[in-house]
Amino acid sequence: MNARPATLAPERSRVDNAAGFVLHSYPFRETSLIVETFTHAHGRVALVARGARRPRSQLRGLVQSFTPLLLSWAGKGELRTLHRAEWQGGLALPQGMGLLCGFYINELMLKLLAREDPHENLFADYQAALQALSSPMPQSAYAAILRRFEKRLLAELGYAQPFEFEADSGQAVRAQQDYVYVLDRGALPVQRANGHADMRLSGKTLLDMAADDYRDPVTLTQSKQLMRLIINHHLGGQILHARELLKDLQQL
């Protein structure tokens, strides 16, 4: 996506041409929408798209999830007013399972990212994930894309997981050793887990995750269970509806 750089007007209450995506939108009053966006330079920003639900609104067909946009808005406080959205193209819309995975990623960012906290590296990771999800692929490949993105999101939030090192000794994880993964600490050999029972998994799974290698079916299964445990911890009880839908479909 060859987006023009976002520019900030002198009064500092207006932003023009900010590269971004819509994460979610919902009705606001009679004809408007609240649009939750993820932008390259400004992070997650909530915008009011006034009149966007009217049949002839120029915004009506633009503020859709997974569409690369240039966004211009103004205002102060947590809720700004969207003035213009310009379609950028260059990215195919995910379909089928890829679309469900995209909704899961969007919901995860809505629940975990603070407003107006820029994450430029994560923006690039998000674009790459959407690009990958737009192509048909085996189920295991979709799962691998989600695991990679979950790891990058946690790292951006300061919750990077030290999969390749033992939590208590700092020594390298051994592929043939079994470990217990302790939340907020990391992997402990089962002999030194001292009653912790958060999750048991193989050292090979941890090393595979550190290398973003999900070809082993055991790694694929254990990595899903581990990332679910870690993400649930940081969600603090919030429910991911897209995940529940994927679970109901017995996918990923």
Side-chain angles (χ1 to χ4, degrees), residues 6-234:
T7 57
L8 191 63
E11 67 268 25
R12 296 185 62 80
S13 61
R14 182 178 179 90
V15 172
D16 291 310
N17 302 321
F21 290 86
V22 173
L23 297 178
H24 180 61
S25 63
Y26 53 93
F28 178 66
R29 296 180 179 170
E30 292 185 2
T31 62
S32 301
L33 291 171
I34 301 294
V35 184
E36 292 279 2
T37 67
F38 179 52
T39 69
H40 178 263
H42 304 274
R44 188 164 72 87
V45 181
L47 305 172
V48 179
R50 300 195 184 281
R53 296 165 64 199
R54 294 192 179 111
R56 296 184 180 179
S57 171
Q58 293 181 341
L59 293 173
R60 184 182 178 92
L62 286 174
V63 287
Q64 304 292 329
S65 297
F66 317 120
T67 302
L69 298 170
L70 287 182
L71 300 164
S72 299
W73 67 81
K76 298 180 180 179
E78 284 199 355
L79 196 57
R80 315 297 174 85
T81 299
L82 177 65
H83 288 300
R84 188 175 72 252
E86 182 180 339
W87 180 66
Q88 290 299 284
L91 191 66
L93 182 69
Q95 303 290 331
M97 185 54 62
L99 187 63
L100 291 177
C101 292
F103 283 133
Y104 167 75
I105 287 174
N106 281 6
E107 189 176 5
L108 196 60
M109 293 199 295
L110 277 172
K111 296 283 175 62
L112 292 179
L113 292 179
R115 291 196 193 278
E116 300 189 51
D117 186 8
H119 293 281
E120 295 181 1
N121 292 333
L122 185 65
F123 188 87
D125 292 330
Y126 179 72
Q127 286 180 295
L130 292 186
Q131 184 73 52
L133 290 172
S134 66
S135 300
M137 63 188 76
Q139 177 181 327
S140 59
Y142 287 115
I145 292 168
L146 295 187
R147 301 297 86 79
R148 293 183 186 109
F149 186 81
E150 289 166 343
K151 278 180 54 188
R152 283 153 178 74
L153 175 59
L154 290 172
E156 277 288 314
L157 295 173
Y159 306 134
Q161 306 298 313
F163 295 123
E164 61 267 65
F165 299 106
E166 296 178 354
D168 56 348
S169 68
Q171 294 180 354
V173 163
R174 291 159 287 170
Q176 303 306 316
Q177 169 71 52
D178 282 343
Y179 289 87
V180 172
Y181 202 90
V182 181
L183 289 168
D184 291 330
R185 287 191 64 188
L188 294 171
V190 290
Q191 302 92 327
R192 304 200 298 270
N194 297 325
H196 288 289
D198 292 4
M199 180 181 168
R200 182 165 175 162
L201 72 171
S202 73
K204 183 179 184 303
T205 290
L206 292 167
L207 294 174
D208 284 348
M209 292 181 71
D212 277 336
D213 183 352
Y214 298 94
R215 292 172 295 178
D216 187 323
V218 174
T219 295
L220 201 65
T221 298
Q222 291 187 345
S223 64
K224 178 184 70 174
Q225 296 168 346
L226 177 57
M227 293 308 293
R228 181 169 296 179
L229 176 73
I230 295 170
I231 287 171
N232 284 347
H233 174 65
H234 293 297

